[in-house]
Amino acid sequence: STESRPKRAFSKKGILSPDVGTTAPLSAEEKTEGRNDRNRFYIVGMGASAGGLEAFEQFFSHMPPDSRMAFVLVPHLSPEHKSLMADLLRWYTAMQISEAEDGMDVRPNRVYIIPPNKDLSITHGVLRLEAPTEQHGVRHPIDFFFRSMAQDQGDRAICVILSGTGTEGTLGLRAVKGEGGLVLAQDVKDAKYDGMPSSAIATGLVDHVLPAAKMPDLLLRYTKATAARAIRPLVKAEERPAEALQRIYTLIRAQTGHDFTLYKQNTVIRRINKRMAIHQIETLEDYVVYLRSNPHEIEVLFAELLIRVTSFFRDPEAFDVLKNHALPLIFGNKHDDSPVRIWVPGCSTGEEAYSLAILAHEFQRQHKSGHQKIQIFATDIDTGAIDIARAGTYSESIIVDVSPERLSRYFIKRSGAYKVKDDVREMVVFAVQDLIKDPPFSKMDLISCRNLLIYMGSSLQKKVLALFHYALNPGGVLFLGASETVGDASDMYSFIDKKWKIYRARRVETLPMTAIDLRQPALVPGKERVEAGPDLRRPASPNVGDFTERLLLERYSPPCAVVNDKGDILYFHGKTGKYLEPASGKAALNIIEMAREGIRLEIRTGLRKAVTQKKDVVYGGLQVKTNGGYKPLNLEIKYITKPEHLEELIMVVFNETAAVPEEKATKAKLRSREKASERLSAMEYELKSTKEHLQTTIEELETSNEELKSTNEELQSSNEELQSTNEELETSREELQSANEELLTVNTELQHKIDELSEANSDIVNLLASTQIATIFLSYDLRIRRFTPSATDVINIIQTDVGRPISDISMKLEYPELASDAEEVLKTLSQKERMVRRQDDRWYLARVVPYRTVDNVIDGVVLTFVDITHQKRAEELEESMNACLQGVIDMVREPLVVLGSDLRGELGEPILLRDLPGEAGRHGEQAHLRDWQRTVGHP
């Protein structure tokens, strides 16, 4: 409503200042000042969709015009309509408002609004306009601008997410957060539409959630605090920064278990500086106290230091180089049975890992390079990020980074979000891992660690690069960020692509243990150095007790093998050659294939029972064929439950029994052969019957299988059709949603314009009514368009007569020439006036003038009737008095002069001479009269 609208800015004379809401040209001094100030003021990017105009109004109503910030507004606008937002916002701020133009410098205390049907970016403090990639449907100008602003302004960027539907702005705020900028989101209770704020808040990266009206105060306090801190160093010498920072590191390590001592101190201080500015804390010592009393702030600072920023196919050109130059090297050296192993340390929320999975799958499909299994291990210290990555569900704004072909092939659209398909999800294993203290993976073909080394100190970078070299296979690929390099580790890596920092591991001698031991004794003062993991530890001195124990186990314990649930052998103990032998064909370590004759069936059956029933299985009295004869054997299959890291493994123990004397053995063999012959006959009959029954069952199963296959194909075809229909409907829904947002924005702007027009109309109506002048507005065809209340004094008119010709309305005036006068005015475009009398003897001055529009187009006439009855009566009275006076003068026979108060003559014939009779007298009178007329007006 207009009642809540703030007043415009007025000058001292009460007139609207001419520079308010205008785009005045800048002087050379202003331009120089803007360039010099560019690095000293904040740029606030504000994204909104439906309901954004109200949020903008609340924001700028509370933002002073001298905030020393620049504001760039990126609302969703209809591409087919001219935006009215700049005109509407001028009611709420005295700052200069401009529609963004290509090449326009951004300066403080200004507001810039994106024009319709354009994408807006910023480069070196200069706005750039581009044609949108999507002319219709869903566009993402907010994410586009936020990303460019983050890249250009760094920690001087501030992004604000206001009311709107959908999830746009989420990707952009990640980029701003990654560069150390400030992120604000409107409270969902305050927003007219909560889609965009809710999506932003769900990322966990928003610094503050608050109503739009309270954002200006926070921004002013934040910018003031950071400006003061920029002038005054963050850390003073007397504050002993090493000790203060070490306390902060200790608090973080105690609560989260992670240490940031070896990270770049400047980066850590910059993040701490931001948190101190938000909380208005002046010194590091005070911030340490604040951390101790607010454990939640430790978690927030930890998340701030983690910098959870990533996206799908970040730097697409780099992924193209990786696909065309690195993957051929990896897949070209692999056999079909050898998996391709990839490690993504610092994976954040998983976009990088899934991007590599998609890329590898595309490479296999395009080059038909065998059927190698792809294993991707993605790790991060952030548990929350790993949970998001495991879910594999991302907002619809990923369409900015993922092509439509990849979206349809590798993602499923569900409830306004995209979920990674199972075949891609199964390639990736996510785990929480601290790269600094946890053991690394090994035998990797590719390590992708992008934009992680830039936050580490040089010593830690060297150790991490050495660790990566240890984890890579010879010739493996290391993929770093565009601003990272291997530095002094160039002897371990060679370039594949210098621009995008893709390296290949060189063959070098074994690295010393200190090169890949990331843990430092200085991290835990007062404690001894923690030894490396068991795979990196140097051999210790031999221990007599351990040696004796190992010797007894080798001599007296039975041979055994530890296998997994599939029978793959993981560990041998003792001499198992009498029971296991390598199988012919491709080399494999599967206990079922290696088992000798006599125990193979029992091992297969026992493994299945042990896995399904989770209990031990024992077979006694077995005869295993070895060295041309049979040896008695008891077979034990033990299901391992402890310790936890060996849980679900199985131990197969071979217990050889004593041999039986030959005579007894012969008799036992004869008896067993007789019984075996009887059993054999019965079993042959049973086997024959079973085979017939089995054959019948197989035929029935084959028939059912063919029917199921046919049904499955039909269902698959139907599913594809439904999927296609669903995608079309989803596209239509997105386009309708985008169109609806644009219409809502246009509707809001038009509603505000209507309010202004209603207010102006009310002012005009009251103005016309207060003049008490009868006014009638006629259209070009002389039909009544509007009239004032006083018009009823001259014409018999009511409200329902609007639209009727003026000639159809009875007049109270004696003015038959009204219609002809109006037509003449339309032809000549000059006004016409005449005095007309009303039936009750009142007089009016009738004036007929052309009706001109704001475009100077003649669109009718305007009739005004001014009541001049009093003037008419006065004129008549004056004429009557003059006639009376003239009669009196004519009656006087004496010479007479009538003078005014200044003794000047007032009458034209003041002297009457009667002393000359006849013609002489008359001629004398005329002579005297002429002389007198020449002196009238003189004293």
Side-chain angles (χ1 to χ4, degrees):
S1 67
T2 56
E3 294 178 359
S4 61
R5 195 178 285 172
K7 296 182 179 179
R8 293 195 186 201
F10 287 89
S11 67
K12 293 181 179 179
K13 296 182 179 180
I15 302 174
L16 184 64
S17 301
D19 59 338
V20 177
T22 61
T23 311
L26 298 173
S27 63
E29 292 78 10
E30 285 181 313
K31 292 180 179 179
T32 304
E33 180 187 359
R35 292 191 180 96
N36 294 337
D37 289 349
R38 185 174 299 155
N39 296 325
R40 294 191 285 119
F41 65 88
Y42 285 87
I43 294 181
V44 183
M46 305 181 70
S49 179
L53 183 57
E54 291 88 340
F56 287 141
E57 292 172 355
Q58 295 172 20
F59 180 90
F60 286 107
S61 296
H62 295 81
M63 176 61 72
D66 56 348
S67 63
R68 296 293 301 166
M69 289 179 274
F71 303 89
V72 182
L73 277 53
V74 190
H76 277 177
L77 300 174
S78 173
E80 289 86 10
H81 297 86
K82 184 180 185 304
S83 175
L84 304 174
M85 186 164 291
D87 296 330
L88 297 173
L89 289 181
R90 289 188 181 113
W91 286 89
Y92 299 92
T93 179
M95 285 186 283
Q96 178 174 307
I97 300 178
S98 307
E99 189 173 85
E101 298 178 2
D102 190 48
M104 179 180 285
D105 282 346
V106 177
R107 288 178 291 275
N109 303 327
R110 304 281 180 95
V111 180
Y112 304 88
I113 302 178
I114 183 175
N117 203 29
K118 292 290 184 181
D119 281 340
L120 181 66
S121 62
I122 183 170
T123 305
H124 303 301
V126 177
L127 296 178
R128 297 296 179 188
L129 295 179
E130 301 178 20
T133 54
E134 289 286 341
Q135 295 295 332
H136 298 282
V138 179
R139 292 173 47 229
H140 293 269
I142 300 175
D143 286 320
F144 188 83
F145 177 75
F146 281 178
R147 284 184 167 186
S148 70
M149 180 179 66
Q151 185 176 3
D152 186 66
Q153 297 296 315
D155 59 359
R156 287 281 174 177
I158 299 175
C159 79
V160 179
I161 306 295
L162 298 174
S163 171
T165 60
T167 61
E168 200 187 350
T170 300
L171 290 180
L173 73 86
R174 290 179 181 273
V176 173
K177 188 72 172 180
E179 297 296 334
L182 184 70
V183 179
L184 305 182
Q186 187 176 7
D187 192 337
V188 293
K189 297 179 180 178
D190 183 60
K192 191 172 183 179
Y193 297 89
D194 62 357
M196 285 173 51
S198 297
S199 178
I201 295 169
T203 63
L205 302 177
V206 177
D207 293 302
H208 285 281
V209 179
L210 65 170
K214 295 184 179 180
M215 290 181 179
D217 179 63
L218 184 139
L219 289 178
L220 293 171
R221 288 188 286 108
Y222 175 78
T223 55
K224 181 180 179 181
T226 53
R229 196 165 282 114
I231 298 173
R232 177 181 52 79
L234 171 68
V235 179
K236 294 182 180 179
E238 61 269 17
E239 291 178 354
R240 294 180 295 175
E243 181 179 348
L245 286 176
Q246 187 61 45
R247 290 177 183 175
I248 294 176
Y249 293 146
T250 303
L251 290 172
I252 296 175
R253 184 173 63 243
Q255 184 157 329
T256 66
H258 300 290
D259 200 303
F260 289 89
T261 305
L262 296 182
Y263 280 64
K264 284 185 178 178
Q265 183 169 318
N266 289 340
T267 301
V268 175
I269 288 178
R270 189 165 59 249
R271 303 287 169 163
I272 293 174
N273 180 28
K274 178 183 175 183
R275 297 305 305 170
M276 291 172 62
I278 291 175
H279 294 294
Q280 303 294 296
I281 297 175
E282 295 296 329
T283 66
L284 278 177
E285 293 293 342
D286 292 339
Y287 189 59
V288 171
V289 175
Y290 183 79
L291 288 174
R292 287 174 176 170
S293 57
N294 296 274
H296 176 69
E297 177 65 16
I298 299 177
E299 297 289 342
V300 175
L301 179 60
F302 173 65
E304 188 82 26
L305 295 173
L306 292 182
I307 316 167
R308 189 198 296 177
V309 178
T310 183
S311 62
F312 282 97
F313 300 99
R314 181 169 43 175
D315 300 325
E317 186 178 343
F319 277 88
D320 291 339
V321 174
L322 185 69
K323 182 178 180 180
N324 297 328
H325 296 87
L327 292 187
L329 299 175
I330 296 173
F331 282 88
N333 296 328
K334 287 292 180 180
H335 300 290
D336 288 348
D337 59 336
S338 181
V340 173
R341 293 164 60 84
I342 301 173
W343 181 20
V344 186
C347 68
S348 188
T349 49
E351 287 91 334
E352 183 91 4
Y354 288 126
S355 299
L356 290 171
I358 293 171
L359 199 72
H361 185 271
E362 287 178 343
F363 181 88
Q364 277 189 320
R365 184 170 52 85
Q366 293 173 5
H367 295 81
K368 300 180 180 178
S369 57
H371 302 283
Q372 296 97 336
K373 183 179 180 182
I374 300 173
Q375 298 176 341
I376 300 178
F377 304 93
T379 62
D380 200 281
I381 64 176
D382 188 350
T383 305
I386 290 295
D387 292 338
I388 295 174
R390 284 171 176 161
T393 301
Y394 301 93
S395 67
E396 61 182 3
S397 56
I398 65 171
I399 65 176
V400 175
D401 301 309
V402 185
S403 65
E405 295 77 11
R406 284 171 171 164
L407 281 174
S408 60
R409 180 180 293 274
Y410 298 107
F411 293 85
I412 301 174
K413 187 71 177 290
R414 291 179 179 173
S415 302
Y418 285 96
K419 182 176 178 60
V420 178
K421 287 186 177 179
D422 292 341
D423 53 349
V424 177
R425 175 64 185 87
E426 291 171 357
M427 296 183 190
V428 189
V429 176
F430 291 99
V432 177
Q433 183 203 42
D434 190 337
L435 183 63
I436 296 178
K437 66 180 183 180
D438 293 333
F441 292 88
S442 60
K443 297 181 179 180
M444 291 290 136
D445 299 300
L446 169 64
I447 295 178
S448 176
C449 182
R450 306 183 67 205
N451 300 325
L452 179 61
L453 297 180
I454 58 176
Y455 301 108
M456 297 180 177
S458 58
S459 61
L460 185 57
Q461 285 183 4
K462 293 178 183 178
K463 293 181 180 294
V464 169
L465 289 170
L467 181 142
F468 287 161
H469 188 274
Y470 165 82
L472 284 169
N473 287 324
V477 176
L478 176 63
F479 187 21
L480 299 180
S483 57
E484 297 172 326
T485 179
V486 295
D488 296 336
S490 56
D491 57 331
M492 293 185 286
Y493 299 96
S494 60
F495 273 113
I496 295 178
D497 188 273
K498 181 174 290 187
K499 177 181 179 181
W500 295 110
K501 305 302 188 294
I502 302 176
Y503 300 88
R504 193 174 189 184
R506 292 176 174 173
R507 294 180 179 272
V508 296
E509 297 180 0
T510 305
L511 296 172
M513 293 298 105
T514 55
I516 54 178
D517 184 8
L518 301 182
R519 287 160 292 189
Q520 300 294 323
L523 301 187
V524 187
K527 293 188 178 182
E528 295 182 357
R529 179 187 180 91
V530 182
E531 292 296 333
D535 53 339
L536 306 177
R537 187 181 298 151
R538 296 182 181 181
S541 301
N543 184 283
V544 177
D546 294 342
F547 176 77
T548 304
E549 184 178 350
R550 186 167 63 254
L551 185 64
L552 291 173
L553 288 173
E554 291 177 354
R555 177 165 298 185
Y556 297 106
S557 62
C560 64
V562 178
V563 301
N564 59 18
D565 57 347
K566 297 179 180 178
D568 298 327
I569 300 174
L570 306 178
Y571 183 80
F572 291 103
H573 174 73
K575 299 178 179 180
T576 59
K578 293 184 291 184
Y579 318 107
L580 305 175
E581 63 178 348
S584 59
K586 186 166 57 176
L589 289 178
N590 188 278
I591 194 170
I592 299 173
E593 297 177 359
M594 295 178 65
R596 292 181 179 270
E597 183 181 341
I599 59 175
R600 183 173 300 163
L601 179 62
E602 285 75 10
I603 289 178
R604 183 192 303 274
T605 305
L607 285 177
R608 186 170 64 253
K609 286 183 179 180
V611 170
T612 56
Q613 300 177 9
K614 300 186 184 310
K615 65 179 184 179
D616 298 345
V617 181
V618 179
Y619 293 97
L622 302 179
Q623 296 288 328
V624 58
K625 186 177 182 179
T626 179
N627 297 328
Y630 289 88
K631 288 189 175 182
L633 179 71
N634 292 334
L635 183 68
E636 293 184 52
I637 301 176
K638 295 181 175 293
Y639 184 80
I640 301 175
T641 58
K642 293 182 179 181
E644 293 182 358
H645 66 279
L646 297 179
E647 191 176 357
E648 297 184 355
L649 296 181
I650 300 165
M651 179 182 289
V652 181
V653 183
F654 305 99
N655 287 314
E656 188 175 341
T657 59
V660 182
E662 185 176 352
E663 183 177 352
K664 292 184 178 180
T666 302
K667 292 181 180 179
K669 286 181 180 179
L670 291 175
R671 286 196 300 270
S672 62
R673 286 176 181 175
E674 292 176 355
K675 293 181 179 179
S677 178
E678 295 176 358
R679 291 200 305 271
L680 183 61
S681 299
M683 292 177 66
E684 285 178 352
Y685 175 78
E686 184 177 353
L687 181 60
K688 183 179 180 180
S689 175
T690 303
K691 282 184 176 181
E692 293 176 354
H693 180 69
L694 182 60
Q695 184 63 33
T696 303
T697 305
I698 290 173
E699 292 175 356
E700 292 176 354
L701 286 174
E702 288 178 350
T703 303
S704 300
N705 188 47
E706 291 177 357
E707 294 176 354
L708 289 173
K709 186 176 181 180
S710 176
T711 304
N712 183 58
E713 291 176 352
E714 293 176 359
L715 290 173
Q716 188 173 356
S717 176
S718 301
N719 182 58
E720 291 176 355
E721 292 177 0
L722 290 173
Q723 183 69 21
S724 176
T725 304
N726 182 58
E727 291 175 356
E728 293 174 0
L729 291 173
E730 191 65 36
T731 302
S732 300
R733 187 190 70 83
E734 292 173 353
E735 293 179 354
L736 288 174
Q737 179 179 343
S738 178
N740 183 53
E741 292 176 358
E742 295 169 358
L743 289 174
L744 283 171
T745 303
V746 173
N747 181 62
T748 304
E749 293 179 354
L750 291 177
Q751 185 61 45
H752 279 70
K753 210 65 177 178
I754 289 171
D755 292 342
E756 292 181 6
L757 291 174
S758 298
E759 184 177 350
N761 185 59
S762 299
D763 294 343
I764 292 173
V765 169
N766 282 277
L767 175 62
L768 293 175
S770 64
T771 59
Q772 296 183 351
I773 297 175
T775 306
I776 302 175
F777 298 89
L778 302 182
S779 62
Y780 199 84
D781 56 355
L782 303 184
R783 293 179 178 272
I784 297 173
R785 179 182 288 166
R786 178 179 292 185
F787 60 90
T788 62
S790 300
T792 56
D793 295 336
V794 298
I795 187 172
N796 296 315
I797 189 172
I798 58 177
Q799 192 63 38
T800 56
D801 290 329
V802 173
R804 294 179 59 189
I806 189 64
S807 58
D808 291 352
I809 310 300
S810 63
M811 302 285 291
K812 298 180 181 180
L813 301 174
E814 297 175 356
Y815 190 11
E817 302 88 355
L818 175 60
S820 60
D821 286 351
E823 291 175 354
E824 183 179 350
V825 167
L826 288 175
K827 291 178 182 179
T828 62
L829 302 183
S830 59
Q831 73 177 20
K832 197 171 186 64
E833 291 184 357
R834 68 169 71 220
M835 289 187 291
V836 295
R837 190 173 68 88
R838 199 169 69 173
Q839 296 170 355
D840 59 355
D841 203 29
R842 294 188 68 85
W843 288 84
Y844 288 85
L845 176 63
R847 182 181 292 116
V848 185
V849 297
Y851 180 96
R852 297 177 184 270
T853 65
V854 292
D855 299 323
N856 201 25
V857 176
I858 304 301
D859 193 28
V861 295
V862 181
L863 307 177
T864 58
F865 300 90
V866 181
D867 190 346
I868 59 172
T869 303
H870 294 293
Q871 293 89 324
K872 190 67 174 176
R873 297 284 189 267
E875 289 178 3
E876 292 175 353
L877 180 60
E878 183 179 359
E879 291 177 0
S880 176
M881 291 179 66
N882 287 339
C884 181
L885 181 58
Q886 188 64 42
V888 172
I889 293 173
D890 291 342
M891 291 174 63
V892 175
R893 294 305 179 192
E894 300 296 332
L896 174 65
V897 177
V898 180
L899 301 177
S901 60
D902 54 353
L903 303 181
R904 294 175 183 269
E906 292 187 350
L907 298 180
E909 297 181 0
I911 302 174
L912 300 178
L913 301 177
R914 302 293 182 184
D915 55 345
L916 296 178
E919 287 294 325
R922 284 195 295 274
H923 290 303
E925 289 179 5
Q926 292 176 358
H928 285 284
L929 183 59
R930 283 194 299 269
D931 293 338
W932 170 249
Q933 287 176 341
R934 284 194 295 268
T935 61
V936 169
H938 292 277

